[in-house]
Amino acid sequence: MRGPVIGKYPSSDGNGEVGAGNGIIKSNRKCRDIVFLVFFIAFWIAMIVNSSFGFNQGNPLRLNFGLDYKGNVCGGKHDDFDLRELELKYWVNPNQVYQSGMKNSGLKLSNARTICLLDCPIPSEDSLNWVCDYPEGDIRISLDDWIDMNYDYFADLTPELRNTSLQLQGPCYPVIFPSVNVYWSCQFIDRPSNVSLTNWKRMNGVTINDDMVIDKSIHNIINARSSVLKRYVADVGKSWPVLIVCGGLLPLFLSLLWLLMIRHFVTAMPWVTVFLFNGLIISVTMFYYMKAGWIGHDAISPIIGPHDPYYHVTSREQHHIRAAAFLMTCVMIISVLSSIAIVRRILMATSVLKVAAKVIGEVQALIIFPAIPYLILAVFYMIWLSAALHLFSSGEIVRNDCNSNCCAYDLKAKRVSCDDCCGYSIHYTKHIGASILFHLFGCYWATQFLIASSSTVIAGSVASYYWARGETSTTIPFLPVFSSMKLLTRYSLGSIAIGSLIVSFTESTRFILEAIRRRLKVADIIPENFIKRIMFHTSRFTLKAIELTTKSVNRNAYIMIAITGKGFFKASEVATNLIISNILRIGKVNVIGDVILFLGKLCVSLASALFAFLMLDTHKYKSSHNKITSPLFPVMVCWGLGYVVATLFFGVVEMSIDTIILSYCQDAEEHQGTAHYAPLLLIETFEEQNEVQRIGQ
């Protein structure tokens, strides 16, 4: 009769005994959930195709730098000009900037003439400065000479070209307004130079409008939501050394250190974890305060490089970091109070952690095993992040279709042209948005898949330990970790694929619905009916509860998959029935242990965030080229990566506890309420809990 001993399923030899020669992990198996494995493989073929599109069409420079009047990306190398040193976007015609800010002008700022410069030009104190087009045609100077001349070859122009320049038709344009580098765009300051204006009028130049509109027009496009999102994504790309150190190496070291300390100092670790958690969350919150400008003088600023200290520019990044600081304050208060509330239960957590520590001591390969999925994830994240940067910057550079009544001198054609006055922009199609969402979902699914695979391997290894009576025995396979990996790879990858897909789909759905709920709230579209209003506000908590329940069921299902080799849905059913029938016996022990482990993961991820703040606070990430517009996204990514790495390594303890407890429940059910194979430490833990409950009654 085929099947392992678990629940009411007999062993392969039919005698219903466990722990004998045909140990529970050595049962007959067959491939499960093959359809979902095929779907998983097909999904990753689609991911490769999707990423290839991004690498082919994208250019991460577009995330930070703008386009010039030829459609070139500032800061990049092109066929006609090498603009790698020229990163700043400058609007040469002040009247076009002014008109773009008028409601009924019909001119958009994206159609105003722009050029890439090394630095933002400033008006002269005794004459009139000019910014001229790139040298070409009859202007026979090199681009380097043009830069050395401060972009000004007005003195070398013919009378005809000087006249067109005075009509603001180029090839040279006057520098009337001072400007400052705001996120690699030259933001005009509405304080025109009197000297420059006087010289301009003396030369019979056309009237130049000076109004606050010229300031706001550029500020609005710099501060647009799409521009802010691009800069956030670019911040992540530019801070890749921080991601490697604080999102990869540091959490690896801290997680291994935590496992070793659990192995040797298990009694003290719950107390150390709670203490460190409170200290770290307070420290991270204080860094948010500093960047928000509430403490010290290190607030983030949208202005890059030296500037007039009396000139201030606001940005969405500043508002976002302040909102994050406020949110962290709330989280800090709740977390500290919650950690105080569980102090009385820490002794119970210590007992159950001792069992896990004994398992780690017996199956020592468990400490090293998470390094395998860690390395796979590290390589995957590096490729995925590069593809994400290209996807976010993908699109086609096209000339705008505009009806602007403007003309500009074409140095190559040697005439004033009014036909191609429109500017350039990056055209994004709808499928690019779908590609980005697909790419994000793929990352989450891959992460969940590797975590689930790691958990299943650990569960199989620990089950071997339990059913050998918690002792070194010949019934435990040699190197049980690798034996468990072999069983997983050969029979159960499809089950892991569907389990991780369910978690990913549930979490993604909750995220999308939460985004819709926030938009409805901002738009003030909230149901007026009382019942509908209650449903509107409780839906988020319902979805969160579904997500947590799904993750819990999946985790126990992975244990049953490792032990029995059954498919995902059957394993979930068996695990759920076991937990429900033993909920009073194992509930508190498991919950308190999970809380301590969760705090441990947060300690590692908070430490990653803290060190990310410190690294991003160095001069490298405050200079012109490498400047991070806000530490918000890089810190959040390091925080998330730290949590993922901690989940991989802490899963050794977490799955050890869950596997032993679930095996204990099955053992007790098989032997009329008495666990025959349970380690002595586990029996003592449950007896202590029962005694506490009896006294409490």
Side-chain angles (χ1 to χ4, degrees):
M1 191 171 182
R2 173 177 288 183
V5 176
I6 195 72
K8 296 181 173 62
Y9 303 99
S11 63
S12 56
D13 61 3
N15 60 17
E17 291 294 327
V18 294
N22 296 323
I24 193 167
I25 304 302
K26 295 183 178 180
S27 305
N28 296 328
R29 297 185 182 224
K30 64 179 182 180
C31 294
R32 304 286 184 178
D33 300 318
I34 299 177
V35 174
F36 298 108
L37 179 59
V38 173
F39 177 74
F40 182 73
I41 294 172
F43 178 89
W44 277 100
I45 293 174
M47 276 286 290
I48 293 173
V49 173
N50 189 55
S51 299
S52 300
F53 166 79
F55 284 119
N56 184 49
Q57 297 292 328
N59 180 0
L61 289 176
R62 299 174 185 171
L63 297 173
N64 267 337
F65 309 130
L67 305 176
D68 64 10
Y69 66 91
K70 289 179 172 290
N72 296 325
V73 180
C74 295
K77 185 177 182 180
H78 306 278
D79 294 335
D80 45 359
F81 294 109
D82 185 356
L83 306 178
R84 284 178 291 185
E85 292 183 352
L86 309 177
E87 299 177 343
L88 306 188
K89 180 179 179 179
Y90 177 72
W91 285 265
V92 294
N93 191 331
N95 276 0
Q96 287 184 334
V97 176
Y98 173 83
Q99 292 170 15
S100 67
M102 305 302 292
K103 293 183 179 179
N104 301 320
S105 69
L107 176 68
K108 295 182 179 179
L109 189 61
S110 58
N111 290 318
R113 194 173 183 84
T114 57
I115 195 170
C116 301
L117 303 179
L118 184 62
D119 47 21
C120 291
I122 57 175
S124 173
E125 296 181 355
D126 53 8
S127 61
L128 179 61
N129 287 343
W130 300 80
V131 171
C132 302
D133 290 345
Y134 303 129
E136 55 185 346
D138 290 336
I139 308 299
R140 304 186 185 280
I141 59 174
S142 66
L143 193 66
D144 289 337
D145 291 337
W146 174 72
I147 296 173
D148 293 338
M149 296 167 63
N150 289 325
Y151 331 110
D152 183 358
Y153 50 75
F154 180 80
D156 299 328
L157 295 180
T158 63
E160 178 190 359
L161 295 185
R162 290 191 181 190
N163 183 58
T164 58
S165 298
L166 292 172
Q167 301 300 315
L168 290 180
Q169 294 179 349
C172 294
Y173 300 85
V175 179
I176 304 296
F177 295 89
S179 58
V180 64
N181 181 358
V182 177
Y183 296 139
W184 300 277
S185 293
C186 292
Q187 166 78 62
F188 283 176
I189 301 175
D190 183 32
R191 293 202 299 264
S193 167
N194 292 328
V195 173
S196 298
L197 270 177
T198 301
N199 284 310
W200 173 256
K201 292 177 182 178
R202 186 179 300 157
M203 298 172 70
N204 296 321
V206 298
T207 302
I208 291 181
N209 300 296
D210 56 330
D211 191 273
M212 286 188 65
V213 173
I214 202 170
D215 188 343
K216 293 181 179 179
S217 183
I218 297 177
H219 180 264
N220 290 339
I221 197 170
I222 294 175
N223 223 26
R225 286 187 175 90
S226 59
S227 300
V228 174
L229 178 59
K230 289 179 182 178
R231 290 197 293 269
Y232 277 147
V233 175
D235 286 345
V236 176
K238 287 188 290 185
S239 59
W240 63 266
V242 179
L243 303 186
I244 292 176
V245 174
C246 300
L249 300 179
L250 179 64
L252 171 64
F253 170 75
L254 294 177
S255 298
L256 286 172
L257 180 63
W258 197 89
L259 284 180
L260 291 174
M261 292 184 70
I262 276 288
R263 173 71 182 90
H264 298 286
F265 307 101
V266 63
T267 304
M269 280 310 295
W271 300 98
V272 172
T273 300
V274 172
F275 176 78
L276 284 177
F277 168 72
N278 289 323
L280 285 169
I281 197 168
I282 292 173
S283 299
V284 171
T285 303
M286 292 303 104
F287 264 98
Y288 275 106
Y289 280 18
M290 290 170 58
K291 297 304 175 182
W294 296 346
I295 296 179
H297 303 282
D298 196 26
I300 62 172
S301 171
I303 302 177
I304 302 174
H307 61 281
D308 187 343
Y310 295 100
Y311 183 69
H312 299 281
V313 178
T314 59
S315 66
R316 289 184 183 271
E317 284 87 345
Q318 292 173 316
H319 299 315
H320 293 166
I321 201 75
R322 288 167 188 160
F326 175 78
L327 179 62
M328 280 300 301
T329 303
C330 299
V331 172
M332 178 187 68
I333 294 172
I334 295 173
S335 300
V336 171
L337 294 178
S338 300
S339 63
I340 294 174
I342 67 168
V343 167
R344 295 179 59 187
R345 302 290 182 180
I346 286 182
L347 291 178
M348 190 181 297
T350 302
S351 300
V352 75
L353 288 175
K354 285 181 179 179
V355 179
K358 183 172 176 58
V359 175
I360 295 173
E362 294 290 344
V363 191
Q364 297 182 5
L366 285 175
I367 296 181
I368 304 174
F369 162 72
I372 297 175
Y374 167 83
L375 291 175
I376 296 173
L377 264 183
V379 174
F380 166 73
Y381 280 152
M382 286 188 286
I383 299 173
W384 181 91
L385 179 59
S386 179
L389 292 173
H390 284 80
L391 275 173
F392 269 94
S393 60
S394 60
E396 184 180 1
I397 298 177
V398 296
R399 182 179 285 277
N400 298 331
D401 183 14
C402 66
N403 298 317
S404 301
N405 183 20
C406 65
C407 301
Y409 193 89
D410 189 333
L411 287 172
K412 281 189 174 181
K414 300 180 181 180
R415 64 181 179 86
V416 175
S417 174
C418 301
D419 299 329
D420 54 354
C421 186
C422 300
Y424 288 84
S425 61
I426 302 173
H427 179 63
Y428 297 98
T429 58
K430 292 183 179 179
H431 78 272
I432 293 179
S435 297
I436 292 173
L437 292 176
F438 183 80
H439 196 67
L440 293 172
F441 181 80
C443 177
Y444 194 74
W445 190 5
T447 302
Q448 292 298 324
F449 180 84
L450 280 171
I451 291 175
S453 300
S454 177
S455 300
T456 306
V457 171
I458 294 169
S461 305
V462 175
S464 297
Y465 165 83
Y466 180 92
W467 295 100
R469 300 179 184 271
E471 300 174 357
T472 303
S473 169
T474 56
T475 60
I476 299 181
F478 178 72
L479 292 178
V481 171
F482 295 101
S483 299
S484 186
M485 288 175 61
K486 180 180 177 182
L487 290 175
L488 169 69
T489 306
R490 185 171 180 181
Y491 299 110
S492 302
L493 285 179
S495 302
I496 301 303
I498 181 59
S500 55
L501 175 61
I502 291 174
V503 173
S504 303
F505 181 77
T506 304
E507 178 69 8
S508 301
T509 302
R510 187 182 72 85
F511 178 80
I512 293 172
L513 293 178
E514 178 66 14
I516 295 174
R517 190 190 70 83
R518 289 180 180 178
R519 289 207 170 196
L520 292 175
K521 188 175 180 180
V522 171
D524 202 22
I525 306 177
I526 300 178
E528 296 182 1
N529 183 279
F530 178 75
I531 296 177
K532 291 182 178 180
R533 186 184 291 270
I534 294 296
M535 293 176 63
F536 177 81
H537 289 292
T538 57
S539 60
R540 61 186 301 189
F541 301 106
T542 304
L543 287 170
K544 185 64 177 178
I546 293 173
E547 176 203 344
L548 294 175
T549 303
T550 302
K551 287 184 176 180
S552 177
V553 170
N554 278 17
R555 195 169 68 185
N556 292 302
Y558 299 146
I559 297 173
M560 291 296 102
I561 290 170
I563 295 176
T564 69
K566 291 196 168 295
F568 175 79
F569 296 104
K570 190 63 180 178
S572 299
E573 178 187 352
V574 174
T576 303
N577 290 336
L578 277 175
I579 292 173
I580 291 176
S581 60
N582 294 273
I583 190 66
L584 295 178
R585 179 183 298 179
I586 69 174
K588 288 186 177 179
V589 172
N590 205 13
V591 169
I592 296 300
D594 284 348
V595 169
I596 295 298
L597 290 171
F598 177 65
L599 291 181
K601 295 176 190 176
L602 288 180
C603 283
V604 173
S605 58
L606 284 169
S608 299
L610 183 62
F611 276 86
F613 267 122
L614 292 172
M615 284 192 67
L616 292 171
D617 211 30
T618 58
H619 176 72
K620 176 180 178 180
Y621 298 104
K622 292 183 177 182
S623 60
S624 178
H625 179 76
N626 294 311
K627 179 180 170 65
I628 300 298
T629 62
S630 170
L632 186 60
F633 262 49
V635 168
M636 288 176 60
V637 171
C638 287
W639 194 334
L641 290 175
Y643 189 85
V644 170
V645 174
T647 299
L648 286 174
F649 285 87
F650 282 47
V652 173
V653 178
E654 197 169 21
M655 292 304 293
S656 296
I657 294 172
D658 290 345
T659 303
I660 286 180
I661 288 178
L662 211 57
S663 298
Y664 174 88
C665 295
Q666 174 56 37
D667 191 7
E669 185 171 319
E670 292 287 338
H671 297 91
Q672 293 77 43
T674 302
H676 188 62
Y677 292 89
L680 181 61
L681 275 174
L682 185 65
I683 296 175
E684 292 176 352
T685 299
F686 284 124
E687 288 177 351
E688 289 176 5
Q689 182 200 351
N690 293 334
E691 181 66 19
V692 171
Q693 289 179 341
R694 185 186 66 79
I695 294 174
Q697 294 173 351

